[in-house]
PDB file of all heavy atoms in Angstrom:
ATOM      1  N   SER A  66     -33.653 -29.977 -33.315  1.00 45.00           N
ATOM      2  CA  SER A  66     -34.689 -30.051 -34.344  1.00 45.00           C
ATOM      3  C   SER A  66     -35.572 -28.807 -34.281  1.00 45.00           C
ATOM      4  O   SER A  66     -36.139 -28.492 -33.241  1.00 45.00           O
ATOM      5  CB  SER A  66     -35.561 -31.304 -34.147  1.00 45.00           C
ATOM      6  OG  SER A  66     -36.645 -31.281 -35.055  1.00 45.00           O
ATOM      7  N   VAL A  78     -36.935 -29.077 -20.561  1.00 62.00           N
ATOM      8  CA  VAL A  78     -36.376 -28.303 -19.449  1.00 62.00           C
ATOM      9  C   VAL A  78     -36.956 -28.788 -18.126  1.00 62.00           C
ATOM     10  O   VAL A  78     -36.234 -28.974 -17.142  1.00 62.00           O
ATOM     11  CB  VAL A  78     -36.654 -26.795 -19.656  1.00 62.00           C
ATOM     12  CG1 VAL A  78     -36.205 -26.004 -18.430  1.00 62.00           C
ATOM     13  CG2 VAL A  78     -35.950 -26.287 -20.898  1.00 62.00           C
ATOM     14  N   ARG A  81     -35.504 -31.964 -16.902  1.00 75.00           N
ATOM     15  CA  ARG A  81     -34.173 -31.863 -16.289  1.00 75.00           C
ATOM     16  C   ARG A  81     -34.223 -31.165 -14.929  1.00 75.00           C
ATOM     17  O   ARG A  81     -33.581 -31.588 -13.974  1.00 75.00           O
ATOM     18  CB  ARG A  81     -33.234 -31.107 -17.241  1.00 75.00           C
ATOM     19  CG  ARG A  81     -31.896 -30.662 -16.631  1.00 75.00           C
ATOM     20  CD  ARG A  81     -31.063 -31.861 -16.163  1.00 75.00           C
ATOM     21  NE  ARG A  81     -29.896 -31.432 -15.425  1.00 75.00           N
ATOM     22  CZ  ARG A  81     -29.826 -31.268 -14.117  1.00 75.00           C
ATOM     23  NH1 ARG A  81     -30.909 -31.498 -13.371  1.00 75.00           N
ATOM     24  NH2 ARG A  81     -28.711 -30.888 -13.540  1.00 75.00           N
ATOM     25  N   GLN A 147     -36.545 -34.126  -6.191  1.00 79.00           N
ATOM     26  CA  GLN A 147     -37.409 -34.776  -7.185  1.00 79.00           C
ATOM     27  C   GLN A 147     -36.588 -35.688  -8.111  1.00 79.00           C
ATOM     28  O   GLN A 147     -36.718 -35.653  -9.330  1.00 79.00           O
ATOM     29  CB  GLN A 147     -38.158 -33.728  -8.009  1.00 79.00           C
ATOM     30  CG  GLN A 147     -39.089 -32.854  -7.186  1.00 79.00           C
ATOM     31  CD  GLN A 147     -39.761 -31.774  -8.021  1.00 79.00           C
ATOM     32  OE1 GLN A 147     -39.187 -31.278  -8.999  1.00 79.00           O
ATOM     33  NE2 GLN A 147     -40.986 -31.416  -7.658  1.00 79.00           N
ATOM     34  N   ASN A 163     -35.009  -3.286  -8.091  1.00 86.00           N
ATOM     35  CA  ASN A 163     -35.097  -2.795  -9.466  1.00 86.00           C
ATOM     36  C   ASN A 163     -33.825  -2.094  -9.931  1.00 86.00           C
ATOM     37  O   ASN A 163     -33.576  -1.971 -11.124  1.00 86.00           O
ATOM     38  CB  ASN A 163     -36.292  -1.838  -9.601  1.00 86.00           C
ATOM     39  CG  ASN A 163     -37.614  -2.546  -9.346  1.00 86.00           C
ATOM     40  OD1 ASN A 163     -37.784  -3.690  -9.760  1.00 86.00           O
ATOM     41  ND2 ASN A 163     -38.530  -1.868  -8.668  1.00 86.00           N
ATOM     42  N   THR A 175     -29.702  -3.540   1.635  1.00 93.00           N
ATOM     43  CA  THR A 175     -29.966  -4.969   1.450  1.00 93.00           C
ATOM     44  C   THR A 175     -30.330  -5.249   0.004  1.00 93.00           C
ATOM     45  O   THR A 175     -31.108  -4.512  -0.605  1.00 93.00           O
ATOM     46  CB  THR A 175     -31.117  -5.431   2.370  1.00 93.00           C
ATOM     47  OG1 THR A 175     -30.747  -5.220   3.732  1.00 93.00           O
ATOM     48  CG2 THR A 175     -31.415  -6.904   2.162  1.00 93.00           C
ATOM     49  N   ASN A 206     -32.267 -18.170   3.133  1.00 94.00           N
ATOM     50  CA  ASN A 206     -33.591 -18.578   3.617  1.00 94.00           C
ATOM     51  C   ASN A 206     -34.163 -19.677   2.727  1.00 94.00           C
ATOM     52  O   ASN A 206     -34.250 -19.528   1.508  1.00 94.00           O
ATOM     53  CB  ASN A 206     -34.536 -17.382   3.623  1.00 94.00           C
ATOM     54  CG  ASN A 206     -34.022 -16.256   4.518  1.00 94.00           C
ATOM     55  OD1 ASN A 206     -33.512 -16.501   5.606  1.00 94.00           O
ATOM     56  ND2 ASN A 206     -34.156 -15.019   4.060  1.00 94.00           N
ATOM     57  N   PHE A 256      -3.220 -24.724   4.823  1.00 86.00           N
ATOM     58  CA  PHE A 256      -2.592 -25.557   3.819  1.00 86.00           C
ATOM     59  C   PHE A 256      -1.137 -25.132   3.650  1.00 86.00           C
ATOM     60  O   PHE A 256      -0.718 -24.060   4.080  1.00 86.00           O
ATOM     61  CB  PHE A 256      -3.320 -25.409   2.479  1.00 86.00           C
ATOM     62  CG  PHE A 256      -4.515 -26.307   2.333  1.00 86.00           C
ATOM     63  CD1 PHE A 256      -5.253 -26.711   3.418  1.00 86.00           C
ATOM     64  CD2 PHE A 256      -4.922 -26.748   1.076  1.00 86.00           C
ATOM     65  CE1 PHE A 256      -6.367 -27.526   3.290  1.00 86.00           C
ATOM     66  CE2 PHE A 256      -6.024 -27.567   0.925  1.00 86.00           C
ATOM     67  CZ  PHE A 256      -6.748 -27.959   2.037  1.00 86.00           C
ATOM     68  N   LYS A 260       2.942 -26.682  -1.839  1.00 87.00           N
ATOM     69  CA  LYS A 260       2.473 -27.865  -2.547  1.00 87.00           C
ATOM     70  C   LYS A 260       1.707 -27.503  -3.816  1.00 87.00           C
ATOM     71  O   LYS A 260       0.947 -26.540  -3.835  1.00 87.00           O
ATOM     72  CB  LYS A 260       1.586 -28.710  -1.634  1.00 87.00           C
ATOM     73  CG  LYS A 260       2.353 -29.411  -0.523  1.00 87.00           C
ATOM     74  CD  LYS A 260       1.437 -30.310   0.278  1.00 87.00           C
ATOM     75  CE  LYS A 260       2.202 -31.044   1.370  1.00 87.00           C
ATOM     76  NZ  LYS A 260       1.315 -31.924   2.168  1.00 87.00           N
ATOM     77  N   ALA A 261       1.908 -28.314  -4.864  1.00 87.00           N
ATOM     78  CA  ALA A 261       1.209 -28.076  -6.134  1.00 87.00           C
ATOM     79  C   ALA A 261      -0.282 -28.343  -5.980  1.00 87.00           C
ATOM     80  O   ALA A 261      -1.115 -27.586  -6.486  1.00 87.00           O
ATOM     81  CB  ALA A 261       1.803 -28.948  -7.228  1.00 87.00           C
ATOM     82  N   TYR A 339      -4.156  -6.757  10.904  1.00 89.00           N
ATOM     83  CA  TYR A 339      -4.324  -7.419  12.200  1.00 89.00           C
ATOM     84  C   TYR A 339      -5.361  -6.719  13.085  1.00 89.00           C
ATOM     85  O   TYR A 339      -6.303  -7.350  13.562  1.00 89.00           O
ATOM     86  CB  TYR A 339      -2.970  -7.497  12.913  1.00 89.00           C
ATOM     87  CG  TYR A 339      -2.997  -8.338  14.165  1.00 89.00           C
ATOM     88  CD1 TYR A 339      -2.793  -9.709  14.098  1.00 89.00           C
ATOM     89  CD2 TYR A 339      -3.240  -7.776  15.413  1.00 89.00           C
ATOM     90  CE1 TYR A 339      -2.820 -10.500  15.242  1.00 89.00           C
ATOM     91  CE2 TYR A 339      -3.278  -8.542  16.556  1.00 89.00           C
ATOM     92  CZ  TYR A 339      -3.073  -9.907  16.460  1.00 89.00           C
ATOM     93  OH  TYR A 339      -3.116 -10.686  17.593  1.00 89.00           O
ATOM     94  N   LYS A 442      36.488 -21.466  35.126  1.00 69.00           N
ATOM     95  CA  LYS A 442      35.839 -21.416  36.436  1.00 69.00           C
ATOM     96  C   LYS A 442      36.659 -20.576  37.420  1.00 69.00           C
ATOM     97  O   LYS A 442      36.105 -19.770  38.173  1.00 69.00           O
ATOM     98  CB  LYS A 442      35.649 -22.841  36.960  1.00 69.00           C
ATOM     99  CG  LYS A 442      34.739 -22.929  38.167  1.00 69.00           C
ATOM    100  CD  LYS A 442      34.396 -24.376  38.482  1.00 69.00           C
ATOM    101  CE  LYS A 442      33.373 -24.442  39.620  1.00 69.00           C
ATOM    102  NZ  LYS A 442      32.990 -25.848  39.918  1.00 69.00           N
ATOM    103  N   PRO A 448      31.876 -19.572  29.397  1.00 62.00           N
ATOM    104  CA  PRO A 448      32.002 -19.638  27.932  1.00 62.00           C
ATOM    105  C   PRO A 448      30.681 -19.401  27.208  1.00 62.00           C
ATOM    106  O   PRO A 448      30.661 -19.064  26.036  1.00 62.00           O
ATOM    107  CB  PRO A 448      32.512 -21.065  27.690  1.00 62.00           C
ATOM    108  CG  PRO A 448      32.114 -21.824  28.906  1.00 62.00           C
ATOM    109  CD  PRO A 448      32.161 -20.859  30.041  1.00 62.00           C
ATOM    110  N   ILE A 463      13.526 -13.537  14.455  1.00 81.00           N
ATOM    111  CA  ILE A 463      12.538 -14.398  13.798  1.00 81.00           C
ATOM    112  C   ILE A 463      11.179 -13.697  13.754  1.00 81.00           C
ATOM    113  O   ILE A 463      10.432 -13.812  12.774  1.00 81.00           O
ATOM    114  CB  ILE A 463      12.438 -15.755  14.520  1.00 81.00           C
ATOM    115  CG1 ILE A 463      13.795 -16.483  14.460  1.00 81.00           C
ATOM    116  CG2 ILE A 463      11.358 -16.628  13.900  1.00 81.00           C
ATOM    117  CD1 ILE A 463      13.864 -17.732  15.306  1.00 81.00           C
ATOM    118  N   MET A 536      35.027 -24.131  10.563  1.00 59.00           N
ATOM    119  CA  MET A 536      33.876 -23.414  11.083  1.00 59.00           C
ATOM    120  C   MET A 536      33.959 -21.919  10.818  1.00 59.00           C
ATOM    121  O   MET A 536      32.946 -21.270  10.542  1.00 59.00           O
ATOM    122  CB  MET A 536      33.747 -23.676  12.592  1.00 59.00           C
ATOM    123  CG  MET A 536      32.506 -23.048  13.212  1.00 59.00           C
ATOM    124  SD  MET A 536      30.979 -23.604  12.410  1.00 59.00           S
ATOM    125  CE  MET A 536      30.974 -25.331  12.910  1.00 59.00           C
ATOM    126  N   LEU A 585      40.282  -5.207  33.400  1.00 68.00           N
ATOM    127  CA  LEU A 585      39.531  -6.459  33.272  1.00 68.00           C
ATOM    128  C   LEU A 585      40.441  -7.656  33.470  1.00 68.00           C
ATOM    129  O   LEU A 585      40.063  -8.631  34.133  1.00 68.00           O
ATOM    130  CB  LEU A 585      38.862  -6.509  31.888  1.00 68.00           C
ATOM    131  CG  LEU A 585      37.901  -7.672  31.634  1.00 68.00           C
ATOM    132  CD1 LEU A 585      36.735  -7.621  32.619  1.00 68.00           C
ATOM    133  CD2 LEU A 585      37.368  -7.624  30.191  1.00 68.00           C
ATOM    134  N   GLN A 588      41.207  -8.040  37.098  1.00 66.00           N
ATOM    135  CA  GLN A 588      40.057  -8.637  37.785  1.00 66.00           C
ATOM    136  C   GLN A 588      40.024 -10.143  37.573  1.00 66.00           C
ATOM    137  O   GLN A 588      39.716 -10.896  38.493  1.00 66.00           O
ATOM    138  CB  GLN A 588      38.772  -8.008  37.268  1.00 66.00           C
ATOM    139  CG  GLN A 588      37.514  -8.534  37.951  1.00 66.00           C
ATOM    140  CD  GLN A 588      36.243  -7.978  37.328  1.00 66.00           C
ATOM    141  OE1 GLN A 588      36.280  -7.036  36.546  1.00 66.00           O
ATOM    142  NE2 GLN A 588      35.117  -8.578  37.678  1.00 66.00           N
ATOM    143  N   LYS A 599      32.316 -23.985  45.868  1.00 53.00           N
ATOM    144  CA  LYS A 599      31.592 -25.151  45.374  1.00 53.00           C
ATOM    145  C   LYS A 599      30.126 -24.815  45.137  1.00 53.00           C
ATOM    146  O   LYS A 599      29.519 -24.085  45.913  1.00 53.00           O
ATOM    147  CB  LYS A 599      31.685 -26.297  46.385  1.00 53.00           C
ATOM    148  CG  LYS A 599      33.090 -26.839  46.582  1.00 53.00           C
ATOM    149  CD  LYS A 599      33.091 -27.945  47.613  1.00 53.00           C
ATOM    150  CE  LYS A 599      34.512 -28.458  47.869  1.00 53.00           C
ATOM    151  NZ  LYS A 599      34.533 -29.523  48.910  1.00 53.00           N
ATOM    152  N   LEU A 606      26.745 -33.721  46.264  1.00 52.00           N
ATOM    153  CA  LEU A 606      27.375 -34.955  45.778  1.00 52.00           C
ATOM    154  C   LEU A 606      28.463 -35.428  46.745  1.00 52.00           C
ATOM    155  O   LEU A 606      28.578 -36.621  47.056  1.00 52.00           O
ATOM    156  CB  LEU A 606      27.956 -34.724  44.384  1.00 52.00           C
ATOM    157  CG  LEU A 606      26.981 -34.697  43.212  1.00 52.00           C
ATOM    158  CD1 LEU A 606      27.729 -34.409  41.918  1.00 52.00           C
ATOM    159  CD2 LEU A 606      26.240 -36.019  43.085  1.00 52.00           C
TER     160      LEU A 606
END
Side-chain angles (χ1 to χ4, degrees):
S66 173
V78 174
R81 168 62 188 92
Q147 298 177 329
N163 296 321
T175 299
N206 301 319
F256 275 29
K260 289 184 179 180
Y339 188 87
K442 192 170 185 178
I463 298 172
M536 184 57 68
L585 187 61
Q588 182 185 347
K599 295 179 183 178
L606 283 178

